[in-house]
Amino acid sequence: MKLLDKYIARQFLSTYVFAAISFTALFILVNLIENIGRFIDKGIDAGKVTLYFWSLVPETILLISPLSTLLASLYVTGRMSGASELSAMKAAGISMKQLLRPFFMTALLLSTLNILNAGWLHPKAAVEKNRFEMEYFDKKFEAISGNKNLHILESRNRILSIGALDPQQATGFNISLETFDGPELVSRIDAKKISYEKNLDHWLLHETSTRIFNENGVLFRENPGNDTLKLSLTASSLRDLGVQPDEMDIIQHYRYIEEKQQAGFSNLGRVIVKFHSKMALPVASLIIILIGVPLSAQKKRSGLAVEFGISLFIGFSYLAIQRTFAIAGYRALMDPVLAAWLPNLLFLGIGIIIYKIANK
């Protein structure tokens, strides 16, 4: 790397670290002020509160990384422009592409670290965070696939429908099990409850109604007791639905999605969006460079204050758009993979336009 590249990279990295620490400290301070009354009322000791706030740091760094990158790139470029350093670089034949190189190389390093954070560090911290919030904030977490109206392709010719689910107990309610012969429905079992009996290695269907369809009509049978049933579905598969996506490392997350899709689980939009966001959010730091550097590459009478305001607007706009598309992906209003990556694609397009304008 050339001496100039090292100089720019060092300035950019130090400014990014300062911005990231400042935003993280501000977030924790606001959170502390908001919840200090709750901590005192519940008598939570300082050690647990400190551990809780440490568990928030990895997630906070992920969220504020694009904003910190934008502020750092804007500040460093604006300062060099104000000091006529950019003018001297242009006079020496340095193009916008060459100017962007040290910013991109540093942002690539930051994105890699953030992927490691999102993939492994944040999931470990999320376990402690979620445990604390459930115990002291009475927070409830929805099951990954929702807790009702699940439709599972239990085998090639059977569909298991669950009206409501308790994943912790591996228990379902308002059950329907339909068996097909090709396109034709051959039997249907309805039950009030399904639970796993470990000793028998079987599922128990409680209070069942069975219908068998054949050419002679419908045979109907009711059982007020329990029926045993052998399913390829395991109890652990249902319990896994109670694990939050934030608590899985990236490899576990991928395997979880693959396993559940092969098993025919529906309503996996939220877990798919969360998986791709673990990569899309860190990559945003690379994309944001295309906006920050060209935007501040020219001297402006308005000064850095206005540019900082613009960068804050852009940064929070990205987070708002990312959240909006994520919710759309959760609710199956759009493809979950697209929901995770579309904000990056939109800002990449904006960055390319700004770069071309500044490069003229």
Side-chain angles (χ1 to χ4, degrees):
M1 184 180 287
K2 297 179 180 179
L3 184 62
L4 179 61
D5 289 347
K6 291 182 179 179
Y7 168 74
I8 295 175
R10 185 168 57 251
Q11 295 294 318
F12 173 61
L13 182 60
S14 61
T15 307
Y16 170 88
V17 171
F18 176 79
I21 292 174
S22 300
F23 279 123
T24 302
L26 179 62
F27 174 85
I28 291 177
L29 179 61
V30 171
N31 195 309
L32 176 60
I33 294 173
E34 181 181 352
N35 292 297
I36 190 168
R38 187 180 296 181
F39 296 148
I40 295 173
D41 291 341
K42 292 183 178 290
I44 308 173
D45 63 69
K48 290 183 178 179
V49 173
T50 302
L51 184 61
Y52 169 66
F53 281 117
W54 270 114
S55 73
L56 298 178
V57 171
E59 180 182 14
T60 305
I61 291 175
L62 280 175
L63 291 175
I64 58 88
S65 187
L67 181 58
S68 298
T69 300
L70 182 60
L71 282 174
S73 62
L74 187 113
Y75 172 78
V76 171
T77 309
R79 188 187 60 77
M80 290 192 299
S81 177
S84 299
E85 291 178 335
L86 285 184
S87 299
M89 293 178 194
K90 291 179 181 179
I94 296 177
S95 65
M96 178 64 68
K97 182 179 179 180
Q98 291 172 307
L99 175 64
L100 283 168
R101 182 172 59 193
F103 288 98
F104 269 120
M105 295 301 295
T106 309
L108 180 61
L109 172 63
L110 295 173
S111 294
T112 302
L113 293 175
N114 272 324
I115 288 176
L116 295 175
N117 179 14
W120 285 274
L121 181 58
H122 173 224
K124 290 184 179 296
V127 174
E128 178 62 33
K129 168 183 174 289
N130 293 343
R131 184 187 298 118
F132 184 94
E133 292 180 350
M134 285 190 293
E135 181 177 355
Y136 296 109
F137 294 173
D138 300 321
K139 187 173 182 179
K140 305 295 182 182
F141 291 95
E142 184 183 359
I144 285 178
S145 298
N147 60 2
K148 59 184 179 179
N149 299 327
L150 296 177
H151 303 284
I152 304 168
L153 185 62
E154 201 283 318
S155 62
R156 290 185 177 181
N157 65 334
R158 293 197 295 189
I159 296 177
L160 176 66
S161 300
I162 302 176
L165 174 68
D166 180 357
Q168 299 301 322
Q169 302 298 324
T171 302
F173 304 91
N174 300 325
I175 305 303
S176 172
L177 180 65
E178 297 175 313
T179 303
F180 293 84
D181 182 8
E184 296 184 3
L185 178 65
V186 296
S187 69
R188 171 173 173 149
I189 301 174
D190 295 298
K192 287 190 175 181
K193 177 182 175 182
I194 186 172
S195 60
Y196 184 70
E197 180 58 48
K198 186 176 181 180
N199 295 331
L200 298 175
D201 191 26
H202 278 73
W203 291 90
L204 292 181
L205 293 175
H206 305 261
E207 299 183 48
T208 63
S209 299
T210 303
R211 294 173 177 82
I212 299 176
F213 304 92
N214 55 40
E215 56 186 14
N216 297 322
V218 180
L219 299 178
F220 179 78
R221 179 178 66 87
E222 283 188 318
N223 181 3
N226 301 326
D227 283 340
T228 59
L229 183 67
K230 186 71 173 178
L231 297 176
S232 59
L233 179 71
T234 64
S236 61
S237 293
L238 284 185
R239 291 193 186 98
D240 283 348
L241 292 175
V243 179
Q244 295 303 305
D246 292 341
E247 299 176 0
M248 302 179 190
D249 68 44
I250 200 165
I251 295 176
Q252 292 172 332
H253 207 149
Y254 174 79
R255 289 175 178 171
Y256 177 91
I257 294 172
E258 189 177 50
E259 176 188 335
K260 294 301 178 285
Q261 286 178 332
Q262 290 177 353
F265 279 76
S266 58
N267 303 325
L268 290 175
R270 185 164 70 97
V271 71
I272 294 174
V273 171
K274 289 280 189 179
F275 172 75
H276 285 275
S277 294
K278 289 179 178 179
M279 295 173 286
L281 196 55
V283 170
S285 295
L286 277 172
I287 296 173
I288 215 75
I289 292 295
L290 276 176
I291 297 177
V293 175
L295 194 63
S296 192
Q298 304 293 328
K299 285 186 177 180
K300 299 178 178 65
R301 293 181 181 179
S302 57
L304 289 177
V306 174
E307 293 183 348
F308 282 165
I310 294 173
S311 69
L312 287 173
F313 173 77
I314 293 173
F316 285 113
S317 294
Y318 173 83
L319 293 177
I321 292 173
Q322 191 268 344
R323 179 61 179 167
T324 300
F325 284 131
I327 293 174
Y330 297 167
R331 299 178 179 178
L333 299 177
M334 64 186 303
D335 181 81
V337 177
L338 181 62
W341 288 99
L342 189 55
N344 284 12
L345 297 176
L346 291 175
F347 276 76
L348 177 60
I350 294 172
I352 291 174
I353 292 173
I354 294 177
Y355 169 77
K356 289 184 176 181
I357 293 174
N359 202 33
K360 289 182 180 179

